[in-house]
Amino acid sequence: MFGLKPISTDVAIIGAGPGGSTCGSYLRKFGDNVKVTLFERDVFPRDHVGESQLPMISRFLQELGVWEKVEAANFPIKIGATYKWGKTKDLWDFHFVPGGKFMDEPRPGKYDGQRTHTAFQVDRAIYDQILADHAQELGCSVHYNAGVKEIRRDGDRVTGLVLDDGTEVEAKVYIDASGHSGILRRAMGVGIEEPSKLRNVAFWDYWENADWAVTVGVGGTRVQVMSVGYGWLWFIPLSPTRTSIGLVCPADYYKDKGLKAANLYRQAIEDEPRIKSLITNAKPEGKFATTKDWSFVAERMAGPNWYLVGECLGFADPILAAGLTLTHTSAREAAFSILENWRDDSPPGHHQWLTEEYERRNRRRVLQHIRFADYWYTANENFSELKEYTREIARDAGLELDADKAFQWLGTGGFIEEDMGIGGIGSVGLAGLHQIANRFSQKPSSVAVDGFNLFFLQMEGAQDQNMASYDLGRVLPMPALAKNGKFLPMRGLFGMIFAGLRESPRADHLAAYLRKGFAQFDVPYDATTETLIFNCLEAMVRDGWVKPQRSNQLDAIDYKIPEDTATISRNRD
């Protein structure tokens, strides 16, 4: 180490991928002269799996001032996904924009209108470089080819890092954004939970000149998720000429099959006619790669002066394409928590509350996506091999492909989605969850508000408790109620419904109350708004905040979920 100058910084971040770059960018954008240093073991650009995004990421990119740079890279615009999944081989679509009606617009575009509902399908070699360069432009110092070989600690505090070349690093706060490597997590002795019985592996390569399954407007398309008898294939266009194609299957199936990984991969493509037809004129780049996709969640996610962000705090099976969303979200919240803790007016005990909220929210997100992914596999009749691995899950949950029992299981973590302010899980509203459950079971699930007209608040055991609101670099307490480990926000649509039901339990009175409230903010009370209301009200019923009843003297709510909606419908390509 003689002659190597030590590095002193405010925040040291291990990893310059989306988690590290996003965290660093937020610290610089909203921090007051915060010194941020990122240490990346690789040299960018480099390929990386995990290319399909969800619309929430676009909001974060806009907030950081990097959306237009990503848009200028001409990545395909993700307007949804096409699935072959369930009890039949019929294709169905999930739409980000209502009905998949994406209008022609020139590119590069602006983050407004329909583009606020879309996502990107990104070539990670380019995308990660854009994010890291943007972090540098905001003032972060980014070191490439700078792996971390040692974490120095004193009890539960990190005291420094040692890089591969012997350079010593000292910081006030340390961020582990090293992905599956979990460098700091492992060094701090943080264990992991593996709640899923699934043990999948993934194989993928990049293909040149594959045809897109569908082109909508200028640059709009849907990813393809096609089940085969022993796994599933993803097909994700990354540019007009480059496509990521991957196979996910059980590790035991791969071992028992006795084929080389590359041969099994090519066989899966041959077995899926839709994907096979799209690569008639395409060639693989020869960058074949493999990884294990074992879902897990860290037992701890933060300490006195350290945070875990992205995949090192938890990983959910890629079937729901949530990986990058979970990464960006945790990176943003870690940055805001650090800045909030450093404020001069932070009250005593504030760090503990910030840490508790950070861990609660991220643990809930990861576990919900793990549980949802398990349900997807269990509910797929084509997956005879996967069913063997998920039989215990189904039995313990009382699932047996029954839609109502599936809802009981999926809602273990609660149906009140804090990030989106809706009733649902992740980016899927309750109406969409019903459609998915109905498709998987071919037996309609019951909507918890249908047929009722009285809704009584259930406040026994409820306590006032603040939940964190992350906005513009701040983490502010938001009034909420807590009961049985579940939270009810007292703001937004949930707060309005709560206030309306305090005045009267009648559904017609609630509708009048909400109409008046929406009118004050010039918000239309239309079919879309009504669906959001029903989603939130049903979430409150299913989470135990409201008890529905029916009076024969009042008109009851008639709310059925049709087979096709603006969010989920049969494929018509």
Side-chain angles (χ1 to χ4, degrees), residues 338-347 350 473-476:
I338 292 168
L339 296 175
E340 191 67 38
N341 190 51
W342 283 349
R343 291 179 63 85
D344 294 336
D345 57 354
S346 292
H350 201 48
R474 297 297 309 273
V475 186
L476 299 176

Side-chain angles (χ1 to χ4, degrees), residues 44-259:
F44 284 10
R46 53 90 180 96
D47 286 316
H48 200 286
V49 74
E51 302 105 345
S52 184
Q53 300 189 346
L54 298 178
M56 184 181 290
I57 293 177
S58 293
R59 177 166 66 87
F60 298 156
L61 298 177
Q62 175 70 8
E63 187 176 43
L64 282 174
V66 72
W67 189 90
E68 290 188 357
K69 296 178 183 177
V70 176
E71 165 69 3
N74 200 34
F75 296 128
I77 302 169
K78 182 180 177 182
I79 65 169
T82 296
Y83 295 92
K84 183 177 72 176
W85 200 282
K87 299 192 73 172
T88 73
K89 294 184 178 180
D90 296 336
L91 302 181
W92 53 281
D93 295 331
F94 189 102
H95 309 292
F96 292 158
V97 292
K101 297 177 181 178
F102 186 72
M103 298 180 294
D104 282 335
E105 290 182 342
R107 297 190 74 183
K110 298 291 185 181
Y111 182 72
D112 58 22
Q114 65 180 358
R115 294 302 302 276
T116 63
H117 301 291
T118 64
F120 292 105
Q121 296 161 202
V122 296
D123 186 322
R124 289 287 299 276
I126 301 172
Y127 180 71
D128 291 13
Q129 185 75 72
I130 292 172
L131 294 185
D133 289 347
H134 187 70
Q136 283 187 300
E137 291 176 20
L138 290 176
C140 294
S141 177
V142 182
H143 298 258
Y144 295 103
N145 197 24
V148 174
K149 70 176 181 181
E150 181 184 350
I151 306 291
R152 290 178 174 170
R153 57 181 291 191
D154 181 6
D156 198 30
R157 293 187 66 86
V158 179
T159 59
L161 310 176
V162 180
L163 305 184
D164 287 341
D165 66 0
T167 303
E168 297 181 348
V169 179
E170 184 174 314
K172 297 176 182 177
V173 176
Y174 300 82
I175 302 291
D176 188 350
S178 62
H180 267 299
S181 299
I183 294 171
L184 188 147
R185 185 195 75 221
R186 296 174 191 271
M188 299 306 290
V190 177
I192 62 171
E193 304 169 22
E194 295 182 320
S196 174
K197 302 298 181 183
L198 292 171
R199 296 291 184 269
N200 291 340
V201 289
F203 315 111
W204 71 95
D205 202 344
Y206 301 95
W207 293 68
E208 287 293 329
N209 298 317
D211 295 324
W212 287 12
V214 59
T215 300
V216 183
V218 178
T221 188
R222 288 190 292 270
V223 303
Q224 307 292 301
V225 177
M226 301 286 113
S227 67
V228 290
Y230 43 85
W232 62 275
L233 288 164
W234 76 67
F235 181 96
I236 307 173
L238 306 179
S239 77
T241 60
R242 196 180 198 219
T243 299
S244 172
I245 303 178
L247 166 68
V248 176
C249 71
D252 283 355
Y253 176 85
Y254 164 54
K255 293 176 183 177
D256 294 343
K257 192 67 175 176
L259 293 176

